[in-house]
Amino acid sequence: MAEDRLRLIRGMVAAAAQVLPGQRTPVPDGVRTAQPQGLGPAPAHPGRAPDTTYARVLVVRHRKKAPEDPDFGVQAWCDGVDALPYTTGKGFLRPVDISLGHARRGGTPPSELFKSIARWSGYQHRLTGWINRCRQVHGEALQIVVLDETGFDLPWEALHLPAVAEAELPGGPLGALVDLARWLDDFPATAAEPNGAVLGFFHSDMACDEEFFQGYEHQPHSGIETFLNSLDDLSTKPVGLVYMGCHGTFDPGIIHNLTLAGETWADYDRLGMNVLRRDASLVCLNACHSGRFIDYNGDGMQGLRGFTQVFLEKGAGGCIVSAGEVGDAEARVMIRRIVDTVTEDPERPVARALRSFRAGVHAAFAAGGDVPMMVRDDGTFDVARQRNVLRLLYSLMFQYYGHPLSTVRLTGRYQGGSAGAEADAS
């Protein structure tokens, strides 16, 4: 099994090191990453190499020789920048305290979780230094796709990049500074452009989520079996977005406790979901733990199991999922704003829309000053400033899997905003 695993990793490394075909738009001299607010449209065209630089970061489990050995390593490639060779060592142990699954009311105090992630980011200085070199070379054109095979809940969106004053590069969370996407199994080769209606499932506790899509062509469902059957109904009109507002459960040791809308991972795995394969729809799972994985071998095949993996394998063009809990009001406000940001401009890639959203939340956080301590001078818990940190963590908790230039166009509503365009009427 170890030899098979090594061959798999070598194959992925070889694939990742390949340069995408075609010519990229040259990066002008002196380009630097400015404050990432109000990012404009960057149209995507499936089958064509991106006009921006697409960097690849591969994260794999380390092959242990002793219990004290590191648990993961990274390798990275980017055109115009020397590759980051396989890197591991001290600080690459599995960091169980930094999962954004801890970002919830009643969980780890937000400021302490933020500081833990910042310390972990410092341990990854070779990677953050490499990313900053990519930013210096490519400026706003830089995109990053992370292929993380560890299943360790590593919060790459929250990885803190140090500022580089001489290059006028601001510091902050990676997901707020760079167009960031994730993927599984292999790096994505082409962008998707799903175009069509919303196909939705809404648990009774989350029926108000239907308001997200008021004015769009929409096929809502309140029964999970009927909804899942509709994913196989090829007589339906094209589907641009599959949205699920429901409950999810997660248990790192028991596969049948990985559920979405009450159905198990195995229930979803058995479905065809032919609509996804036909339309390459974007899938948005507004459910607790929808983006987490279980490292499982109970059926005789070692691998990461999760709902992101299922929907991508069934043909989804991309997935927006949660690395933690979305049950409280703050998190629900975040997902609503994310949906609005992603769908408001059909010409803007999903990864860029999410970066713009996170950048706005980070700017509001930074305006409040430094990361707060736990208590005020009077000994009381600093509720207001802790909530500000929690909002930032929530914005980074929602992850995007897909090509960095994939877009989504929903039919039926005029798209407002300064970069608006009219959606296809149906």
Side-chain angles (χ1 to χ4, degrees):
M1 178 178 290
E3 292 182 357
D4 291 343
R5 177 67 175 169
L6 183 58
R7 282 196 294 271
L8 174 63
I9 291 174
R10 285 173 175 168
M12 293 178 66
V13 169
Q18 294 176 356
V19 177
L20 293 176
Q23 296 295 318
R24 293 182 174 84
T25 300
V27 179
D29 293 338
V31 166
R32 295 290 183 266
T33 300
Q35 293 294 334
Q37 315 298 327
L39 302 174
H45 301 277
R48 191 190 76 187
D51 287 336
T52 50
T53 299
Y54 165 14
R56 294 158 290 271
V57 178
L58 176 64
V59 190
V60 295
R61 291 199 187 193
H62 188 79
R63 295 182 65 209
K64 283 191 171 187
K65 296 181 181 178
E68 65 274 12
D69 277 354
D71 271 327
F72 71 95
V74 298
Q75 194 166 5
W77 304 262
C78 181
D79 292 348
V81 180
D82 289 343
L84 179 70
Y86 182 77
T87 301
T88 188
K90 294 180 179 179
F92 286 78
L93 297 173
R94 180 172 187 170
V96 296
D97 288 342
I98 67 168
S99 167
L100 289 176
H102 300 305
R104 63 184 187 275
R105 292 185 185 275
T108 304
S111 62
E112 293 304 297
L113 178 55
F114 185 94
K115 293 167 189 173
S116 293
I117 294 173
R119 291 195 303 275
W120 172 77
S121 301
Y123 306 150
Q124 317 308 314
H125 59 89
R126 289 187 64 184
L127 176 60
T128 58
W130 180 85
I131 293 173
N132 272 344
R133 290 194 292 276
C134 295
R135 293 169 71 200
Q136 287 181 257
V137 170
H138 297 294
E140 291 290 341
L142 180 65
Q143 299 168 317
I144 293 178
V145 176
V146 177
L147 197 159
D148 186 339
E149 286 200 307
T150 65
F152 289 171
D153 289 340
L154 299 175
W156 296 111
E157 291 75 10
L159 179 75
H160 183 83
L161 299 183
V164 184
E166 61 272 21
E168 300 179 4
L169 294 179
L174 175 62
L177 297 174
V178 176
D179 294 356
L180 179 66
R182 294 177 178 237
W183 197 247
L184 297 172
D185 295 331
D186 201 352
F187 291 96
T190 58
E193 281 186 319
N195 183 346
V198 178
L199 180 61
F201 169 77
F202 305 92
H203 186 274
S204 58
D205 293 345
M206 304 171 75
C208 62
D209 282 12
E210 287 191 51
E211 298 174 4
F212 292 2
F213 309 108
Q214 186 175 3
Y216 291 123
E217 185 179 11
H218 186 199
Q219 304 168 44
H221 296 79
S222 58
I224 186 60
E225 286 190 74
T226 304
F227 166 76
L228 292 176
N229 287 337
S230 69
L231 287 175
D232 263 333
D233 184 2
L234 292 176
S235 68
T236 61
K237 292 182 179 181
V239 174
L241 175 69
V242 173
Y243 181 90
M244 295 185 70
C246 57
H247 298 292
T249 65
F250 174 80
D251 185 326
I254 304 176
I255 188 68
H256 59 258
N257 284 347
L258 180 62
T259 70
L260 186 65
E263 307 290 355
T264 67
W265 172 86
D267 290 328
Y268 287 82
D269 185 58
R270 289 168 59 87
L271 299 174
M273 302 189 191
N274 292 315
V275 168
L276 296 185
R277 200 165 303 281
R278 180 192 70 186
D279 299 333
S281 313
L282 176 68
V283 173
C284 181
L285 303 179
N286 181 12
C288 295
H289 311 298
S290 56
R292 302 182 74 178
F293 298 92
I294 292 177
D295 185 20
Y296 182 71
N297 62 5
D299 56 10
M301 180 67 71
Q302 184 79 38
L304 298 179
R305 309 290 202 274
F307 293 109
T308 309
Q309 162 253 326
V310 167
F311 281 100
L312 290 178
E313 286 184 356
K314 302 297 181 183
C319 291
I320 296 174
V321 293
S322 171
E325 294 188 6
V326 293
D328 68 39
E330 296 282 358
R332 292 188 54 71
V333 168
M334 286 294 172
I335 187 62
R336 180 161 195 159
R337 290 174 56 194
I338 285 172
V339 170
D340 286 344
T341 302
V342 167
T343 59
E344 67 185 358
D345 181 359
E347 298 300 321
R348 182 167 62 173
V350 174
R352 175 149 292 203
L354 285 170
R355 171 188 168 188
S356 179
F357 167 76
R358 296 185 190 117
V361 178
H362 180 251
F365 164 77
D370 198 8
V371 182
M373 291 186 285
M374 292 279 289
V375 298
R376 297 177 176 272
D377 284 345
D378 62 5
T380 60
F381 188 74
D382 194 345
V383 175
R385 296 178 69 199
Q386 290 291 327
R387 185 177 293 121
N388 196 28
V389 183
L390 187 60
R391 290 191 189 103
L392 176 61
L393 294 173
Y394 278 152
S395 76
L396 300 166
M397 182 175 73
F398 292 99
Q399 303 169 345
Y400 167 63
Y401 285 77
H403 192 284
L405 284 179
S406 291
T407 59
V408 61
R409 180 184 294 270
L410 302 183
T411 54
R413 189 179 96 172
Y414 175 77
Q415 306 290 327
S418 58
E422 188 170 353
D424 295 338
S426 59

